[in-house]
Amino acid sequence: MPQDETVPKQYERCDDDTKSDLVELKSTTVTNKQAIFTFACVRPGVYRSTFSSNDHPLPPFPSCERPERTSTIAKLQAVGSHEVVVIDDTGASAHLDWTAAPVLKLSYHNETMYTDLPHRSYVLDGTGVAHYTRYFKDSMHVGLGEKAAPFDLSGRSFVLSATDSFGYDVHCTDPLYKHIPLLIVASPKGVIGTFSTSHARGSYSIGSEMDGMWGRFKVYRQDHGGLEQYHFVGRTMQEVVHKYAELVGFPLLVPRWAFGYLAGGMKYSMLDDPPAHEALKDFADKLVEHDIPCSGFRLSSGYTVAETEPKTRNVFTWNRHRFPDPEAFVHSFRLKGIRLIANIKPYVLTNHLAYTHLAASGALFTDPNTNTTALTRLWSAGGGESGEGSHVDFTSPAGYTWWYDNVLALRKLGIDCPWNDNNEYTIPSDKWLMSLSNTATSSTFETMAHKRRDVGLWGRALNTELMAKASHDALLDAAPEERPFVLTRSATAGTMRYACSTWSGDNVTSWSSLQGSTALSLNAGLSLLQNYGHDIGGFEGPQPSPELLLRWVQVGIYGPRFAVNCFKTSAENNSVGEVIELWMYPEILPEIRKAIKRRYEILPYLYDLMLQSHRTAVPPMRWVGWGYESDAKVWANKVLREGEGQFWLGDSLMVGSVYTPGAESVEIYLPKRDEDDAYLNTNTPYQYLVAGQWTSIDAPLIGSIPVIARVGGAVIVGKPVQTAAPGDQVNEARSPIDDYRGIEIFPREANKCREDRLPDTYTWLEDDGISIAGKADAAVASCKFEYTRAQEKIGVNFAIDSAVFEPSWAKRETFGLRAVQYVARRW
């Protein structure tokens, strides 16, 4: 983009000097562009800064509401006439100097980890702004929602926008599907997070630019409007992510069934002969034949393809040849215990039956060049095929209501989940106009001095968020007692207040894609995309080899979300495509089945991690150094910083990924924080492993990837099959009741015990798996298990607080204990 930088200077304080938590500065050095800078203390370790001018208004629809300042925040103290400092009892401190351009420094226990670039900090740049800060090259830089691997983003540049990156290269393609401007700078000395609330497009250069005069720097560029940022200071990533969640919202509850195997494949819904509903019946029958449990099916948009020419995808319609009786089809899958996740896209082609009505009612964007409905090319039929159409404008009452009504109809039909797809809003012009007349945006628009309605200022990603809200609200109104499950491909920070699940989009089948997937998951988790996963085996590209498919399944079962979905087209077949079926290679089918049943067996463990995520914002998948910040090796080693080879699942299991064909072993690093730390291989030969070193772990293809347990940890397990959740009002499939719990423990060696001599403790939560947050948050069973080892005996103690919710297994007292190298027994 063109560069037109101006750095306002000569700031003077223009607040009344009596506010102990706010500084407001004004500069008049730029003609007709009076610049305003503010800095405020929000909460302990949380600060807000803004930079705007007459022509650069603050984000009109920020990704979070402005929080109330707490009564416990520290007070700003003046240091001379152009400086203030603030130090709070959390160890965080801030220093602002506006002798020239404002320079903000943030520290943790007197270690400066963030500072603006002097003389070039806050810059007016054409229609937008730029913010320059120092680059600390030894620190890790993580977050930004969903960015190309590796995990550490240092030394790279990224576009802050979202696009339909079909078949992307996981190590190179940018942007991907998410727009979340949260950058976290982490080091052994502390962690700083910076979040921009704007939906406008932009970019982040994270040490990839440098200049002989300016040195090493980072620069956040925003194409339109002024800057609003929040800064979070803490000791660890966990502290900073928690503070970020307090601002934008904690991850939503996910229904329990969504942690099972979610199947899919474009091919099924695209079939005319046999018709799709018959092909899908055959698929469901084969699941039973091959003894593979399945909880959900992603119904691709083939069900919306018109029966006659032009055979285009028309959202909220049904192809009656492929699905003669949609209600009966949906019911048939529910009878098999498979919930349907229906694909819906936020645009209409000009041949859509509703197009004329939507255009006339103002439900679509306006092109200011013609003052008529804005048109663009949109995916219409087969791979790479497009037609003219228009995006739904969710800031329009007509657009929002039309979407809400149709999602409501799908839910009443029996569809459990709307799959908000193709919602990156890749429109061709920032000058397009939005309605801004619905309740979410109208009040702000009415108070604006310039009455700007352009997409550039408000941000195209605003519609991604409002689309999620419309889908969420429709589900909630259709089933007020059930937690809404909205699946979204694109996301902003605000989107995840309405959508509880997302994935990495249209990945490609390759070993490289498998390798980079862990890094994407780790950054997604830090950005509060915590029910996140990948299309196992690859969405686009060739069919996976038996080895690649099995390795992907083996690691995929340990992610928060496990789904197989694809659209494998070719030049000869760009409409129906091929599909991955888990039984496609008989030689690995037993291992596939074993892995998926293990997924269902550990589902109580995965579900507890989601409940903890909802309450604390701790991601289920964690970087190897999470909780082990005192281990210098996790910071110094390039392989560990890249985050591709291993990850924590909760705090009990370290999972290693095999992403090299033919590999039979993997090098795993076992972090150390205490002298009594140790690990246990959960696979043959079940050996104890020393903490603080690398070790080679066997990983035979017909066997398992490395799964290493932290000694003293535990994993709660249930039945290795699909079960009915306690909150399910109707069990149409007559699935088994969830009435068994076991616990897998990893005792210390016989001659070793904890330094403090206390028992090892594992706690977990359970709820009914279906109720809305207001009910479920208050109705949770809290379980506590303690164990100690004395020579060849294990002493155990168990307690459960089930006063407000009693799990079925607790009523029946069916609980098992399994210690590695010990015989399982009832107790």
Side-chain angles (χ1 to χ4, degrees):
M1 59 176 289
Q3 190 173 23
D4 182 21
E5 290 195 356
T6 301
V7 182
K9 300 176 181 177
Q10 298 178 13
Y11 284 85
E12 296 296 334
R13 193 165 182 175
C14 58
D15 57 83
D16 58 12
D17 287 337
T18 63
K19 296 180 179 179
S20 59
D21 56 5
L22 172 67
V23 169
E24 184 173 352
L25 309 174
K26 183 181 297 184
S27 169
T28 57
T29 59
V30 183
T31 305
N32 298 324
K33 294 183 179 179
Q34 185 178 75
I36 302 292
F37 178 88
T38 71
F39 175 77
C41 305
V42 178
R43 295 169 181 156
V46 180
Y47 312 101
R48 174 180 181 263
S49 61
T50 69
F51 173 63
S52 60
S53 78
N54 297 338
D55 295 336
H56 300 77
L58 293 177
F61 193 89
S63 289
C64 62
E65 294 184 0
R66 187 172 176 180
E68 295 289 333
R69 290 194 279 270
T70 64
S71 59
T72 58
I73 59 174
K75 308 303 182 184
L76 291 170
Q77 301 175 18
V79 181
S81 60
H82 289 78
E83 291 181 70
V84 293
V85 297
V86 58
I87 303 173
D88 61 41
D89 56 11
T90 68
S93 62
H95 176 272
L96 178 65
D97 182 341
W98 62 94
T99 304
V103 173
L104 175 64
K105 294 182 180 180
L106 299 174
S107 305
Y108 183 77
H109 284 303
N110 298 318
E111 290 284 348
T112 299
M113 295 176 294
Y114 169 104
T115 179
D116 290 332
L117 192 64
H119 307 291
R120 201 184 180 186
S121 51
Y122 299 91
V123 180
L124 303 176
D125 187 4
T127 60
V129 295
H131 178 210
Y132 288 81
T133 55
R134 289 288 188 198
Y135 174 68
F136 295 87
K137 65 182 182 66
D138 293 329
S139 295
M140 289 179 62
H141 297 81
V142 292
L144 290 188
E146 179 183 79
K147 289 300 177 185
F151 175 56
D152 187 1
L153 308 177
S154 301
R156 294 188 280 162
S157 294
F158 300 95
V159 174
L160 295 177
S161 186
T163 194
D164 182 355
S165 47
F166 178 79
Y168 61 88
D169 183 324
V170 73
H171 290 96
C172 297
T173 304
D174 182 69
L176 295 176
Y177 299 90
K178 311 301 189 291
H179 181 167
I180 301 178
L182 168 71
L183 184 66
I184 298 173
V185 183
S187 75
K189 299 176 180 179
V191 181
I192 303 284
T194 300
F195 173 63
S196 171
T197 67
S198 176
H199 288 96
R201 286 161 55 88
S203 65
Y204 230 132
S205 175
I206 308 172
S208 59
E209 300 177 36
M210 63 179 301
D211 182 276
M213 184 175 71
W214 298 105
R216 295 181 178 271
F217 58 82
K218 307 188 303 291
V219 55
Y220 167 77
R221 296 183 175 98
Q222 186 177 295
D223 290 356
H224 296 273
L227 184 69
E228 180 186 41
Q229 291 183 323
Y230 288 89
H231 310 275
F232 315 97
V233 182
R235 171 71 183 88
T236 63
M237 291 185 193
Q238 180 173 344
E239 287 183 24
V240 165
V241 171
H242 187 273
K243 290 174 180 178
Y244 172 62
E246 289 181 317
L247 178 72
V248 302
F250 286 80
L252 298 178
L253 289 175
V254 181
R256 188 176 179 274
W257 63 264
F259 289 88
Y261 161 42
L262 305 179
M266 179 71 79
K267 178 178 180 178
Y268 301 113
S269 66
M270 290 297 294
L271 289 172
D272 290 315
D273 185 19
H277 72 100
E278 292 184 9
L280 284 166
K281 178 182 181 302
D282 181 64
F283 171 81
D285 290 342
K286 285 183 178 177
L287 287 169
V288 176
E289 175 188 341
H290 295 296
D291 190 24
I292 295 177
C294 179
S295 299
F297 186 89
R298 291 167 66 175
L299 183 63
S300 297
S301 58
Y303 79 96
T304 71
V305 171
E307 298 165 53
T308 58
E309 296 294 342
K311 293 187 176 182
T312 54
R313 299 171 195 272
N314 299 310
V315 65
F316 297 128
T317 68
W318 286 86
N319 181 311
R320 294 291 175 157
H321 171 73
R322 298 174 182 176
F323 298 92
D325 188 342
E327 186 174 6
F329 163 70
V330 172
H331 184 64
S332 71
F333 262 54
R334 291 189 71 91
L335 289 176
K336 299 176 186 295
I338 302 174
R339 313 210 184 209
L340 288 175
I341 303 165
N343 185 285
I344 47 179
K345 306 179 190 301
Y347 61 78
V348 285
L349 299 167
T350 55
N351 63 308
H352 194 293
L353 291 175
Y355 186 86
T356 301
H357 164 71
L358 291 172
S361 60
L364 311 173
F365 290 91
T366 299
D367 184 343
N369 293 318
T370 63
N371 204 31
T372 59
T373 300
L375 290 170
T376 190
R377 303 296 297 185
L378 296 162
W379 184 38
S380 61
E385 296 179 0
S386 66
E388 282 199 328
S390 304
H391 285 90
V392 176
D393 177 6
F394 284 89
T395 74
S396 157
Y400 189 94
T401 301
W402 181 76
W403 189 268
Y404 168 95
D405 288 344
N406 279 284
V407 173
L408 188 69
L410 284 176
R411 184 65 184 91
K412 290 181 177 180
L413 186 69
I415 300 289
D416 281 271
C417 169
W419 166 7
N420 287 8
D421 201 16
N422 298 83
N423 54 343
E424 294 77 27
Y425 276 78
T426 52
I427 63 178
S429 174
D430 281 345
K431 294 180 180 179
W432 279 10
L433 304 177
M434 294 186 286
S435 167
L436 301 175
S437 53
N438 77 1
T439 55
T441 54
S442 59
S443 59
T444 300
F445 177 68
E446 292 302 323
T447 61
M448 292 178 67
H450 295 295
K451 297 291 188 292
R452 287 177 57 179
R453 296 193 293 124
D454 56 288
V455 168
L457 176 63
W458 289 78
R460 59 196 65 195
L462 161 63
N463 273 272
T464 304
E465 179 177 327
L466 294 182
M467 177 189 180
K469 184 179 189 303
S471 295
H472 170 277
D473 291 355
L475 292 184
L476 195 58
D477 287 348
E481 299 303 316
E482 297 183 18
R483 62 190 68 161
F485 181 41
V486 177
L487 174 64
T488 184
R489 188 170 77 175
S490 186
T492 65
T495 302
M496 304 314 290
R497 290 193 288 271
Y498 309 108
C500 66
S501 186
T502 185
W503 83 107
S504 62
D506 299 343
N507 60 351
V508 71
T509 299
S510 70
W511 286 96
S512 176
S513 187
L514 170 59
Q515 175 183 351
S517 62
T518 296
L520 264 66
S521 292
L522 295 178
N523 273 322
L526 295 177
S527 307
L528 301 185
L529 307 173
Q530 296 191 350
N531 187 248
Y532 182 89
H534 311 276
D535 285 340
I536 303 297
F539 182 84
E540 196 267 341
Q543 288 284 24
S545 67
E547 182 185 12
L548 176 56
L549 178 59
L550 180 53
R551 287 305 195 192
W552 217 319
V553 169
Q554 286 173 336
V555 71
I557 64 168
Y558 294 103
R561 186 175 186 276
F562 181 79
V564 179
N565 187 49
C566 63
F567 185 29
K568 297 190 169 298
T569 59
S570 65
E572 299 76 25
N573 180 4
N574 81 326
S575 178
V576 176
E578 294 300 323
V579 68
I580 296 173
E581 294 181 321
L582 294 180
W583 46 84
M584 63 194 294
Y585 300 122
E587 65 269 31
I588 62 168
L589 178 56
E591 294 298 308
I592 295 281
R593 181 187 302 114
K594 180 180 75 173
I596 291 180
K597 289 197 170 186
R598 178 59 174 168
R599 169 81 180 186
Y600 279 88
E601 189 172 39
I602 65 171
L603 195 148
Y605 181 74
L606 294 166
Y607 188 76
D608 169 64
L609 294 179
M610 182 277 296
L611 292 177
Q612 301 290 354
S613 159
H614 172 64
R615 289 170 172 237
T616 67
V618 173
M621 284 181 65
R622 306 162 195 171
W623 175 55
V624 62
W626 185 281
Y628 291 81
E629 293 82 7
S630 59
D631 186 340
K633 293 180 182 178
V634 301
W635 302 100
N637 187 277
K638 182 176 183 291
V639 171
L640 296 180
R641 289 167 68 116
E642 288 177 343
E644 295 185 331
Q646 62 187 92
F647 61 90
W648 282 107
L649 180 64
D651 60 6
S652 290
L653 296 180
M654 177 74 76
V655 180
S657 178
V658 180
Y659 49 77
T660 304
E664 291 289 324
S665 63
V666 173
E667 295 293 316
I668 297 292
Y669 179 71
L670 305 174
K672 182 178 181 179
R673 58 189 171 193
D674 296 312
E675 287 304 315
D676 54 8
D677 281 350
Y679 295 86
L680 189 61
N681 188 353
T682 66
N683 299 310
T684 307
Y686 306 110
Q687 75 269 36
Y688 283 94
L689 303 166
V690 178
Q693 66 180 24
W694 289 86
T695 187
S696 180
I697 304 296
D698 290 340
L701 179 64
I702 306 304
S704 173
I705 59 170
V707 181
I708 309 300
R710 178 181 59 82
V711 164
V715 173
I716 189 71
V717 297
K719 296 177 179 178
V721 297
Q722 183 182 357
T723 59
D728 284 330
Q729 297 299 310
V730 179
N731 184 5
E732 296 163 301
R734 298 184 179 179
S735 299
I737 302 301
D738 182 33
D739 60 358
Y740 167 77
R741 285 293 177 272
I743 190 163
E744 299 173 352
I745 61 173
F746 315 106
R748 299 176 185 277
E749 294 183 78
N751 60 341
K752 296 182 180 180
C753 61
R754 289 169 52 129
E755 287 186 336
D756 57 15
R757 303 289 177 175
L758 295 174
D760 289 303
T761 301
Y762 173 67
T763 61
W764 78 95
L765 302 174
E766 303 216 13
D767 67 8
D768 70 9
I770 202 78
S771 293
I772 58 173
K775 176 182 177 182
D777 289 346
V780 173
S782 179
C783 309
K784 181 178 181 180
F785 185 89
E786 297 178 335
Y787 67 99
T788 55
R789 180 173 181 180
Q791 298 304 318
E792 297 305 310
K793 294 183 179 180
I794 297 177
V796 301
N797 184 47
F798 174 69
I800 179 172
D801 180 357
S802 57
V804 288
F805 171 73
E806 186 175 22
S808 300
W809 57 266
K811 296 175 184 177
R812 298 186 60 175
E813 298 183 347
T814 48
F815 199 96
L817 172 67
R818 177 180 179 271
V820 176
Q821 298 178 300
Y822 286 80
V823 178
R825 62 180 184 271
R826 297 281 187 185
W827 60 279

